[in-house]
Amino acid sequence: MAEVWEIHCKKMESYGFDRLIYGVTHFMTPNSIGPREDVMTLSSHDPEYMEHYYGPELYRSSPMLLWAAANTGACSWSWIHKNMDIMDDNNRKVIQLNRQMGITAGYTLSFQETSRRSKGVIALTARRGLSQEDVDAIWKEQGDEIEALNNVAHLKIISLPLSTERSNLSKRQREVLEWVGDGKTNQDIATILGVTPATVEKHLRIARDKLGVDTSAQAVLKMSFLNQIFTPDRS
């Protein structure tokens, strides 16, 4: 993941976009992008900005997220100025923060997804000194290429195991969930692993707690969304 992100950031910088934020979730609801713990975020912004933007979850009020939630494709940040009448106080707080931090020109891409519960978005911030008019001119010349590269990066990222703020499962916890995914009962799993059914249930309970779900079936589904089940052995 780190290698993919580094390559992508360097490539986008060559087009004039030197600060990126990428986010993906598989746990959207009709009114929310889902719990923060289930959102995977990558950023090349200054830590100071992310402390103010991500720490208090201001990202949920990002003006361009209003557009991204209902659209697919690429959108100039000029959309914000054309739609100030629909911005609430929280949206305006984000706009103010961005102005203070020199984040004033760019493009946002909302990726096409195959699930109603999934959404991937990337915000490309232009380097300081470029106006939105400059960025729109860049996009007119090279936008198709930039959009294609971002789609390639997105497709690669979501094919990899996704790390969120939730605690990682141990190798044994993943193994037990994989057997659940194969349709095995606790007794079956206990026999296969040479442990007691109580030990199996203990592993399942801890896995459910770490994943924030109520049932083992939900745990298997969530691990599948995160590409963390039936993967090559990891420590």
Side-chain angles (χ1 to χ4, degrees):
M1 187 74 72
E3 291 178 44
V4 172
W5 185 240
E6 181 180 3
I7 292 169
H8 188 60
C9 287
K10 286 182 178 179
K11 186 61 179 178
M12 289 302 103
E13 189 171 358
S14 72
Y15 292 103
F17 301 100
D18 61 354
R19 290 159 291 168
L20 316 181
I21 298 180
Y22 169 87
V24 62
T25 179
H26 293 290
F27 307 100
M28 285 188 68
T29 67
N31 301 312
S32 170
I33 62 173
R36 168 178 170 162
E37 293 83 4
D38 292 322
V39 177
M40 193 203 74
T41 303
L42 299 171
S43 170
S44 60
H45 277 265
D46 294 335
E48 180 185 359
Y49 174 71
M50 292 303 291
E51 180 181 345
H52 290 91
Y53 180 71
Y54 192 74
E57 300 191 43
L58 271 182
Y59 65 88
R60 293 184 182 274
S61 299
S62 172
M64 290 308 299
L65 197 58
L66 294 175
W67 173 86
N71 295 277
T72 297
C75 185
S76 166
W77 288 4
S78 61
W79 182 90
I80 298 172
H81 306 292
K82 296 174 183 177
N83 291 274
M84 287 298 292
D85 57 317
I86 67 171
M87 304 295 168
D88 63 19
D89 289 343
N90 288 326
N91 298 141
R92 294 173 188 275
K93 285 181 182 178
V94 176
I95 294 171
Q96 182 179 6
L97 171 65
N98 287 345
R99 286 174 178 166
Q100 292 173 349
M101 304 293 287
I103 299 166
T104 56
Y107 257 75
T108 291
L109 285 84
S110 176
F111 300 107
Q112 179 69 56
E113 303 295 353
T114 58
S115 167
R116 297 192 308 273
R117 302 293 303 277
S118 300
K119 174 54 69 176
V121 178
I122 190 166
L124 312 176
T125 301
R127 66 174 177 266
R128 290 174 174 83
L130 290 179
S131 67
Q132 188 60 52
E133 289 76 13
D134 295 330
V135 174
D136 290 339
I138 292 171
W139 207 268
K140 184 176 181 180
E141 292 292 325
Q142 300 174 293
D144 288 346
E145 182 177 321
I146 297 170
E147 188 170 355
L149 289 169
N150 276 276
N151 273 282
V152 169
H154 170 63
L155 291 172
K156 181 59 183 178
I157 288 170
I158 62 173
S159 75
L160 297 169
L162 303 180
S163 296
T164 67
E165 291 188 8
R166 296 195 183 275
S167 300
N168 292 327
L169 302 191
S170 69
K171 182 177 179 180
R172 180 48 63 93
Q173 289 156 10
R174 290 198 310 273
E175 184 180 18
V176 169
L177 281 179
E178 287 172 351
W179 285 118
V180 172
D182 274 338
K184 302 299 183 183
T185 66
N186 285 11
Q187 181 60 62
D188 293 335
I189 299 170
T191 301
I192 292 168
L193 300 181
V195 298
T196 66
T199 298
V200 171
E201 178 52 37
K202 181 190 74 171
H203 288 308
L204 290 174
R205 176 178 51 78
I206 295 173
R208 292 192 298 266
D209 289 344
K210 285 183 176 180
L211 292 168
V213 298
D214 297 322
T215 70
S216 296
Q218 286 177 302
V220 172
L221 180 62
K222 192 165 218 179
M223 289 290 283
S224 178
F225 278 143
L226 297 173
N227 299 324
Q228 292 183 11
I229 196 165
F230 297 115
T231 59
D233 286 341
R234 296 179 298 151
S235 59

